[in-house]
Amino acid sequence: MSLLDLKLLRDLKALKSQAFAVALVMACGLAMMIMTRSLIASLEATRADYYRDNRFADVFSRLKRAPNAVAAQLSAIPGVAAVQTGIALPVTLDLPGVLEPATGLILSLPEQGELTLNRLHLRSGRILVGRESSGEILTGEAFAEANRLRPGDEIAAVLYGRRQNFRVAGVVLSPEFIFEAPPGAALPNNKTYGVFWMPYKELATASNLDGAFNNLSLRLAPGASEAAVIAAVDRVLKPYGGRGAYGRESHPSHTRVRDEIQILQGLSVGFPLVFLSVAAFMTNAVMSRQITLQREQIAILKAFGFSNREIGGHYLKFSLIIVVSGMGLGTLGGIGLGHQLVDMYTLFFRFPSLEFRLATPVVLAAIGVSTLAAVVGVAGAVKAAVRLPPAEAMRPEAPSSYRPALVERLGAGHAFTASFRMALRNIERRPARSMLTMGALALATGILIVPNAFRDGIDYVLNYQWDLIQRQTVFVSMIEPGPARTLADFQALPGVVLAEPVRGAAVELRSGNRFRRLAITGLPPRAELFRVIDAQERPFTLPPHGIVLSSKLAEVLAVNVGDELAVRVLDGRRPEFTVPVAALSEDFAGTAAFMDIGALNRLLGEGDRISGAYLTVAGGKWDEFLRAMKESPVAGGVVVKNRIREGFRETTAKSIGLIQMIYLTFATVVAFGIVYNSARISLSERQRELATLRVIGFSRGEVGAVLVGELAVLTLLALPLGLLIGSGFAAAILTTVNTEFVRLPLILTPYNYAFAVLIVTTASVISALLACRRLDQLDLVGALKARD
Amino acid sequence: MAQIENADPTAPVFHARALRKIYGAGEAEVCALDGITLDCHPGEFLVVLGASGSGKSTLLNLLGGLDTPTSGTLLYRGWDLGGADEASLTRYRRDAVGFVFQFYNLIPSLTARENVALITEIAADPMSPEEALHLVGLGARMDHFPAQLSGGEQQRVAIARAIAKRPAVLMCDEPTGALDVRTGMAVLEAIEKINRDLGTLTLIITHNSVMAGMADRVLTLSDGHITGEKRNATRAAASSLAW
Ligand SMILES: Nc1ncnc2c1ncn2[C@@H]1O[C@H](COP(=O)(O)OP(=O)(O)O)[C@@H](O)[C@H]1O
Ligand SMILES: [Mg+2]
């Protein structure tokens, strides 16, 4: 090893805690990037494989009923490569030991052979084939796991009003249900919603659809136009009650995965970028300081004929060692955490196997960028060092000129101790240096805001959706829309305190060439249980005319209040009409459209009908209520709000909590790193001065006070700035979470701010204590032996 | 003759004519050296005297290739040292010059031996670090770090470091300036021994006129001019100097 390298190692050893702090910050940024980017890569690659291997369809449609012969007509559409017809029916389940019913979707298996499209992946048990079985079904894995169902277990299902027992033959996955949840749901609730498959014959018989189909999937030929095929399919299906075909971009499971990837993409950039820039900044601070301290060593090396390249290389190597250890640590951490995250995502997204895939190009790019940032950050300092003529570097630096600090000049000087006055003057003497330290401390404060804002935003959304908007105990849906008087039947169920009707209609909303399919929810003008809320969090009265859109839906459709919207009803008499947008409502999960129930019924032209009701149920009568519900001939499904909320807490909240914890831990580590590093740098800058103070008789405490005083003043100044910066970071990063499924509001609470202040203050105190401990090791004699 | 390789071994080691060095510009202009004419020969022992600010360090910096003159001629063995570029100056310092400074300027993170080895590593024909340290009488303290050595010992390590590569010239800028009399004497003895044993052209800068007795030739500098030049018929031993 060359002696210059030996010097490097010894210098590094002397700076080890600082170098470690910088490397750690860098590692956090990189780990975060690797973790999220690899998760994205894993999701994308796995999804692509799954879609290809299991022949996920490109275009989908539901219809009322078409004879099986129509399939040939659909196959003949130019651009259609494969067609899969079948039956899809809503089903209500009665699970042993579970009082409230679960709902789901039951799909048919072909009479012969395998499914052509959306092929199933068998997890356990066996696949049902042809006509040979009866009384058996296949169950989606998420539901099976949540309800601990295994092949051989039995469940009771209500199919078309008829109750029947089925044996679970196998547990399966389907590319159509990577996200196993009802369409439009932002969160899974696998305990109360499931997907099932059974042989065509049995399902067709039960639903009077023998020889016919009501569900269609098809695959496009390469290069075929999706829009043209959709139009052709709609034409073919029109006489059969086609509900409008749609492509993958409107497919509920597909879009849910796509949006998750989009959110991850946002997170994979903002956070790591902040961390990595902080790390680059810290590397620069450490290196500049090191080079200033070694000014004379550099001069002597030059005097003895070391070239600029050798000297520059020496210091570059120094910072590269820090960078490389940071990168190594970050890569390992990122891979480890990435595995954990991938495991966690298998809870939401059901793939045959979701395996961790390292996003190698991204990792290499991140490493390259960080290395470059560090090199660029250090290059300036190194360049200054080598540019220094050797003779110049041997001259002592010009003595710094001090003057009374501003507060002293304003006449407040007598209020401070000598130590504190010195601290103030130090800050003022080198404003640029002090600004940098302050900036670093502010960054440390700022990055702590984001993870907690993330958590608070999610809490807010949940309270908003489940307390402010939805105040019912249960939502009861009917198998078919029924007369308005059915509400009285619901009202009469045991324990029901309040019942409010709801009329849902599946529609396509269109403005120009933008459209969305969803349900318009018809509600009483001033409902108490399901409330329509405006941007000021006030419930509002539904206008007697026009439609109220959630503001995200209005944005997606590019309409505003006053614009006309074309509505095509996909059900019943299938009327088409236009309505004006009357107002915008605010929500954070999914998209919604509301109308006055009377107005909606008039437009639907089927008389006064309801399709369900929101109910509040007295706690004491709960079991009785549920039993009555199960017997009720009209109730199709029951959604218990608290059950969903619990399910959310058990699954999604846990995973979001994990990500948030990782981020918060990283932010805390980084904050400590920054603060500690700042303290060390200011200690090293003052070493000689502090030693001199000790020599002339200041006590250790008094000398410590100079150092601590400076850090304290800078911290105090940095905190408000940091809170401001952090709010900005939070705003920038949270707005990347803005999809049709979920949006995050920017919620900044005093607790969040207090937490950041607490962490940075604690870090400052600990760093100050550590720095003061180093004061004991101050080389008093050495400080005086060398010239000043 | 652009390259130091082309230096002429028979020419004087240094040949300076009308050498000027001006720092700063305009109002702040300082003329540190103002028309220096000087020749130095192999093996010579020169002492440069002068008050603080008279331009001694500036002269040494120019001769040592640490800085370049503003005008005038400066040749090293016939090679144009005054007009050399950065890379050639680096080569020159690496191959031909050993420096000793007032404040030793050792690398604190390296031991005495390592400080010397740092330089021998890049030299063409060095002696071993151990040999160099023995020459300055520090054979026993080779593995000490600078912080564990006294000022005089540190300065002797600095001398070992300067001479280990067998330089053609040894430049000492106030080598005893930070030392007490006795330690200073030991340091001067080490320098004198190097000059005698290795025949290295040696330049010592000092404001202490007592040291003049050791020299072959004494130059006096004031205000950037050489105002006196005196040859000693015999050189006094460092130990015999009366402080
Ligand atoms: N880098 C510089 N910039 C400006 N002035 C300088 C510089 N170096 C030296 N000087 C000035 O040149 C003069 C000679 O300095 P120097 O050679 O260091 O004197 P000495 O070594 O004899 O004490 C002094 O007036 C000094 O202030
Ligand atoms: Mg001088």
Side-chain angles (χ1 to χ4, degrees):
Chain A
M1 185 172 33
S2 90
L3 280 146
L4 218 47
D5 289 342
L6 186 66
K7 165 182 178 314
L8 186 82
L9 283 188
R10 298 228 174 105
D11 288 348
L12 257 174
K13 216 171 129 206
L15 269 183
K16 61 176 179 297
S17 44
Q18 257 175 294
F20 182 67
V22 178
L24 213 55
V25 172
M26 213 170 268
C28 287
L30 191 67
M32 219 176 259
M33 187 171 258
I34 290 178
M35 173 177 102
T36 37
R37 297 304 314 195
S38 294
L39 184 56
I40 292 170
S42 307
L43 286 173
E44 281 178 341
T46 309
R47 187 180 63 174
D49 289 353
Y50 191 24
Y51 280 0
R52 191 195 53 233
D53 296 346
N54 290 49
R55 301 176 54 85
F56 182 50
D58 295 306
V59 172
F60 311 82
S61 185
R62 293 282 185 84
L63 52 143
K64 198 158 177 68
R65 175 200 181 103
N68 281 339
V70 175
Q73 240 175 298
L74 292 163
S75 300
I77 294 172
V80 171
V83 171
Q84 173 75 59
T85 58
I87 296 172
L89 279 186
V91 64
T92 305
L93 301 153
D94 187 358
L95 295 167
V98 182
L99 273 175
E100 61 266 46
T103 59
L105 189 67
I106 187 158
L107 298 143
S108 65
L109 293 165
E111 289 199 85
Q112 273 151 23
E114 246 192 291
L115 285 160
T116 320
L117 299 175
N118 307 328
R119 288 192 173 155
L120 302 180
H121 176 93
L122 184 67
R123 276 292 209 222
S124 61
R126 61 189 171 84
I127 290 276
L128 299 173
V129 190
R131 301 161 176 256
E132 67 208 25
S133 73
S134 84
E136 287 188 302
I137 55 167
L138 302 175
T139 309
E141 186 187 48
F143 180 82
E145 269 179 12
N147 290 293
R148 298 209 178 77
L149 287 176
R150 265 183 290 273
D153 291 351
E154 293 220 338
I155 47 173
V158 182
L159 249 183
Y160 243 64
R162 237 182 333 147
R163 196 189 151 90
Q164 212 185 326
N165 271 345
F166 290 96
R167 182 188 304 280
V168 176
V171 174
V172 294
L173 298 177
S174 160
E176 253 197 302
F177 300 97
I178 292 173
F179 186 65
E180 208 180 307
L187 306 164
N189 184 15
N190 298 324
K191 240 185 151 57
T192 57
Y193 183 87
V195 188
F196 309 88
W197 287 262
M198 64 191 276
Y200 175 84
K201 195 75 192 168
E202 217 178 334
L203 190 57
T205 313
S207 55
N208 300 323
L209 280 166
D210 211 356
F213 65 93
N214 72 353
N215 189 30
L216 165 75
S217 302
L218 53 84
R219 205 167 161 95
L220 297 175
S225 150
E226 186 185 285
V229 170
I230 286 178
V233 169
D234 282 350
R235 266 196 308 279
V236 172
L237 293 183
K238 189 152 185 152
Y240 308 107
R243 293 198 192 164
Y246 55 91
R248 281 186 183 178
E249 285 314 298
S250 301
H251 186 276
S253 162
H254 177 87
T255 48
R256 184 63 178 79
V257 179
R258 182 200 61 197
D259 285 5
E260 188 70 27
I261 290 174
Q262 189 197 319
I263 290 173
L264 286 172
Q265 256 153 358
L267 293 179
S268 75
V269 177
F271 247 114
L273 215 60
V274 170
F275 279 31
L276 290 177
S277 359
V278 169
F281 167 79
M282 281 169 72
T283 319
N284 175 269
V286 170
M287 286 314 293
S288 309
R289 185 61 208 144
Q290 181 72 351
I291 285 168
T292 314
L293 279 178
Q294 300 203 340
R295 198 180 138 89
E296 289 169 15
Q297 297 187 32
I298 292 169
I300 208 75
L301 290 174
K302 293 187 94 174
F304 278 98
F306 279 89
S307 68
N308 287 349
R309 207 162 41 81
E310 285 165 318
I311 295 170
H314 175 67
Y315 287 98
L316 218 53
K317 234 193 248 174
F318 195 108
S319 57
L320 281 181
I321 288 179
I322 300 181
V323 172
V324 166
S325 26
M327 298 286 123
L329 211 63
T331 307
L332 289 181
I335 290 175
L337 291 170
H339 272 106
Q340 291 229 323
L341 270 192
V342 164
D343 283 353
M344 196 187 73
Y345 266 79
T346 52
L347 277 181
F348 299 111
F349 295 135
R350 299 287 168 166
F351 291 103
S353 69
L354 180 57
E355 267 157 30
F356 178 82
R357 288 186 212 207
L358 189 61
T360 319
V362 178
V363 172
L364 292 182
I367 290 179
V369 168
S370 316
T371 311
L372 200 72
V375 167
V376 169
V378 168
V382 171
K383 228 193 222 145
V386 298
R387 220 190 284 121
L388 215 59
E392 188 82 13
M394 299 305 295
R395 297 165 57 84
E397 272 186 279
S400 4
S401 53
Y402 279 92
R403 60 172 184 163
L406 181 66
V407 272
E408 296 177 85
R409 296 200 295 281
L410 293 177
H414 54 271
F416 306 124
T417 62
S419 300
F420 195 66
R421 268 206 297 272
M422 246 181 283
L424 285 181
R425 290 180 200 172
N426 279 338
I427 290 171
E428 263 198 48
R429 174 172 56 114
R430 307 195 54 186
R433 178 80 249 162
S434 305
M435 290 293 278
L436 277 183
T437 310
M438 212 174 81
L441 293 172
L443 272 179
T445 318
I447 53 174
L448 284 163
I449 301 291
V450 189
N452 283 331
F454 198 70
R455 182 204 54 203
D456 293 342
I458 288 168
D459 280 352
Y460 180 85
V461 168
L462 297 182
N463 288 336
Y464 194 94
Q465 297 298 126
W466 284 330
D467 286 332
L468 208 57
I469 295 183
Q470 302 187 41
R471 308 203 297 174
Q472 80 282 9
T473 321
V474 293
F475 168 67
V476 183
S477 64
M478 292 156 63
I479 296 171
E480 304 246 83
R485 64 186 138 75
T486 317
L487 187 66
D489 298 344
F490 289 130
Q491 181 78 67
L493 287 168
V496 172
V497 178
L498 191 60
E500 282 181 355
V502 56
R503 170 73 158 116
V507 296
E508 178 186 284
L509 300 179
R510 182 181 288 274
S511 164
N513 56 3
R514 291 164 182 257
F515 70 96
R516 279 293 179 277
R517 293 205 171 90
L518 73 162
I520 295 181
T521 308
L523 295 166
R526 182 113 208 175
E528 278 300 312
L529 296 183
F530 190 105
R531 303 191 301 174
V532 183
I533 307 281
D534 69 9
Q536 278 74 47
E537 296 191 13
R538 286 180 313 229
F540 61 66
T541 308
L542 288 172
H545 303 289
I547 190 166
V548 175
L549 301 182
S550 67
S551 53
K552 182 68 186 179
L553 183 59
E555 180 196 318
V556 169
L557 295 172
V559 292
N560 225 316
V561 174
D563 294 349
E564 290 280 327
L565 208 52
V567 181
R568 188 155 70 90
V569 179
L570 303 172
D571 249 340
R573 301 187 174 193
R574 317 167 61 76
E576 296 186 15
F577 47 85
T578 63
V579 284
V581 177
L584 298 185
S585 71
E586 196 61 45
D587 59 9
F588 296 99
T591 50
F594 304 98
M595 283 182 87
D596 175 273
I597 187 166
L600 180 61
N601 271 326
R602 272 193 299 284
L603 289 169
L604 294 175
E606 294 174 14
D608 235 2
R609 296 178 91 79
I610 67 172
S611 53
Y614 288 99
L615 310 177
T616 43
V617 180
K621 300 251 174 129
W622 183 236
D623 289 0
E624 221 178 305
F625 167 79
L626 285 173
R627 262 193 299 278
M629 266 319 298
K630 279 193 178 179
E631 307 298 310
S632 162
V634 284
V638 177
V639 179
V640 181
K641 187 175 75 175
N642 280 341
R643 190 63 51 167
I644 293 189
R645 197 181 262 209
E646 267 163 41
F648 177 81
R649 261 199 217 106
E650 277 163 23
T651 56
T652 318
K654 263 191 199 153
S655 70
I656 295 175
L658 176 64
I659 297 185
Q660 195 252 346
M661 267 317 290
I662 292 174
Y663 280 22
L664 190 63
T665 310
F666 280 0
T668 309
V669 166
V670 171
F672 264 87
I674 294 175
V675 176
Y676 176 68
N677 196 47
S678 302
R680 280 294 304 275
I681 285 181
S682 83
L683 173 67
S684 110
E685 276 172 348
R686 311 255 175 281
Q687 198 121 28
R688 173 130 343 128
E689 179 184 333
L690 298 176
T692 310
L693 287 178
R694 288 281 283 128
V695 169
I696 62 176
F698 275 68
S699 74
R700 218 166 48 204
E702 286 164 330
V703 172
V706 177
L707 195 67
V708 174
E710 199 180 326
L711 195 60
V713 170
L714 290 178
T715 307
L716 276 179
L717 292 173
L719 283 173
L721 184 67
L723 297 181
L724 209 69
I725 293 176
S727 310
F729 282 161
I733 291 174
L734 292 195
T735 50
T736 65
V737 180
N738 182 354
T739 67
E740 283 180 58
F741 284 109
V742 65
R743 300 163 287 284
L744 279 184
L746 180 62
I747 304 294
L748 295 164
T749 62
Y751 291 110
N752 188 352
Y753 284 154
F755 180 80
V757 167
L758 183 73
I759 291 286
V760 172
T761 313
T762 311
S764 297
V765 169
I766 292 177
S767 302
L769 288 178
L770 286 175
C772 282
R773 238 188 41 198
R774 297 188 77 92
L775 279 180
D776 301 352
Q777 302 155 14
L778 216 55
D779 178 6
L780 300 191
V781 185
L784 304 181
K785 200 148 65 177
R787 69 175 156 177
D788 201 32
Chain B
M1 266 195 274
Q3 292 301 309
I4 186 171
E5 284 83 356
N6 304 335
D8 172 5
T10 61
V13 181
F14 291 116
H15 172 83
R17 293 294 176 273
L19 207 56
R20 279 164 64 85
K21 177 68 185 177
I22 295 169
Y23 290 111
E27 286 287 289
E29 193 174 285
V30 177
C31 189
L33 290 181
D34 192 6
I36 298 291
T37 292
L38 176 68
D39 284 297
C40 307
H41 303 281
E44 245 190 318
F45 196 118
L46 275 116
V47 168
V48 181
L49 289 174
S52 186
S54 57
K56 305 183 298 293
S57 294
T58 306
L59 178 62
L60 179 132
N61 290 347
L62 293 186
L63 298 180
L66 288 175
D67 214 341
T68 48
T70 311
S71 66
T73 310
L74 176 59
L75 302 181
Y76 167 76
R77 295 198 156 139
W79 171 70
D80 184 10
L81 170 60
D85 61 11
E86 175 64 33
S88 321
L89 283 180
T90 300
R91 280 296 307 281
Y92 166 67
R93 295 198 299 265
R94 186 176 215 153
D95 297 338
V97 196
F99 287 99
V100 178
F101 297 101
Q102 181 178 0
F103 296 103
Y104 342 127
N105 296 95
L106 300 178
I107 305 289
S109 54
L110 299 179
T111 63
R113 189 208 307 264
E114 288 161 357
N115 261 286
V116 179
L118 178 70
I119 305 305
T120 57
E121 229 178 39
I122 61 165
D125 173 32
M127 59 181 85
S128 72
E130 292 76 15
E131 188 183 350
L133 285 163
H134 276 295
L135 269 178
V136 296
L138 272 181
R141 323 221 49 183
M142 286 196 283
D143 293 318
H144 288 64
F145 283 93
Q148 300 165 319
L149 297 171
S150 74
E153 285 165 339
Q154 287 186 55
Q155 191 60 301
R156 280 186 284 155
V157 175
I159 293 169
R161 177 176 68 181
I163 52 101
K165 63 176 162 187
R166 307 181 206 276
V169 290
L170 179 60
M171 305 274 178
C172 311
D173 193 345
E174 314 229 10
T176 61
L179 302 172
D180 62 72
V181 175
R182 272 201 27 212
T183 334
M185 201 108 77
V187 166
L188 287 177
E189 270 171 9
I191 294 174
E192 184 184 47
K193 181 167 181 297
I194 301 300
N195 171 261
R196 207 172 341 96
D197 295 358
L198 304 179
T200 312
L201 166 64
T202 306
L203 252 114
I204 295 192
I205 280 178
T206 177
H207 55 260
N208 181 352
S209 52
V210 175
M211 270 149 69
M214 296 173 63
D216 292 316
R217 193 152 51 117
V218 183
L219 301 174
T220 311
L221 221 58
S222 57
D223 258 344
H225 300 276
I226 294 181
T227 52
E229 178 170 349
K230 187 185 117 202
R231 268 175 205 284
N232 289 329
T234 53
R235 279 161 55 172
S239 53
S240 70
L241 297 178
W243 292 70

